[in-house]
Amino acid sequence: MELEERVVALERRIAALESAAEAAAESGAESAAEAAAGRVAERAADRGSHAAGRPAPEVTDSPLWALESLKAQLAAGPGDRGEDGAVVFTGTVRLPTDERYEWQFGAFTGQLFEEEWADAAESFAALGHPVRLRLLREILGGRRTAAELAELQETGTTGQIYHHLRQLTGAGWLKTVGRGRYEVPGARVVPLLVVLTAARP
């Protein structure tokens, strides 16, 4: 492996570690309710764990095994915050660049209805353009600079690409790393894939 390739690989590893540290910091800032809901999936995933003296449900042949596990964890949990239910999304991902991400998040249904949904509009709007979605896919696939992205067909001029990159960066779907390189923050990789999965017809 040539020196430049080794440096690029090292930069990716450092970026992945920084992303993991950011995700850990964000997790520390979660409210107690969010943390409790996040632990729902965490406990279910840990086959050796116990909730209220009972083993956590394991993956079964049922097509709704994740839902059944969530319901069991809510029923076994303390308090009544979970009586209206909860939403949990999680993923374990290996990108084409061989970077790996494991992530989960959860929130109680009542909490979601207390929040202002309009606050999410900017984040959704940034994803609402086919070129931006293409750029995100290419960046996750390993193209990290505007010059590399400009080589792609049907992505527009360099100026247009920079405009799209600014939109994605402003909404938190991208961040800049040294020497004009872009990447999806580690804490946003699984959520991006979840949004894309949810949007499929």
Side-chain angles (χ1 to χ4, degrees), residues 6 14 26 35 41 44 70 74 83 99 102 104 109 113 132 143 150 154 156 158 169 180 188 192 199:
R6 294 173 75 181
I14 291 170
E26 289 174 8
L70 173 61
L74 287 171
E83 67 181 9
E99 294 165 295
E102 293 186 347
Q104 70 180 26
T109 307
F113 277 95
R132 288 184 205 139
R143 293 179 191 261
E154 301 176 2
T158 303
T169 302
R188 301 303 291 271
L192 174 61

Side-chain angles (χ1 to χ4, degrees), residues 110-162:
Q111 173 194 356
L112 292 171
F113 277 95
E114 292 168 6
E115 294 176 357
E116 181 56 61
W117 288 9
D119 292 344
E122 181 183 357
S123 186
F124 283 123
L127 297 178
H129 194 288
V131 171
R132 288 184 205 139
L133 292 174
R134 170 93 187 274
L135 294 175
L136 285 168
R137 186 181 70 187
E138 296 295 339
I139 289 168
L140 285 174
R143 293 179 191 261
R144 299 297 172 90
T145 67
E148 290 173 324
L149 297 168
E151 295 172 359
L152 299 170
Q153 298 293 319
E154 301 176 2
T155 54
T157 66
T158 303
Q160 290 169 329
I161 289 173
Y162 274 112

Side-chain angles (χ1 to χ4, degrees), residues 57-127:
E58 296 187 9
V59 175
T60 68
D61 290 334
S62 168
L64 299 177
W65 62 267
L67 176 61
E68 291 167 3
S69 175
L70 173 61
K71 288 164 69 174
Q73 293 298 324
L74 287 171
D80 60 357
R81 283 300 301 268
E83 67 181 9
D84 294 327
V87 175
V88 173
F89 56 93
T90 185
T92 177
V93 175
R94 185 180 68 163
L95 299 179
T97 57
D98 268 347
E99 294 165 295
R100 295 176 184 267
Y101 296 93
E102 293 186 347
W103 198 84
Q104 70 180 26
F105 181 81
F108 291 117
T109 307
Q111 173 194 356
L112 292 171
F113 277 95
E114 292 168 6
E115 294 176 357
E116 181 56 61
W117 288 9
D119 292 344
E122 181 183 357
S123 186
F124 283 123
L127 297 178

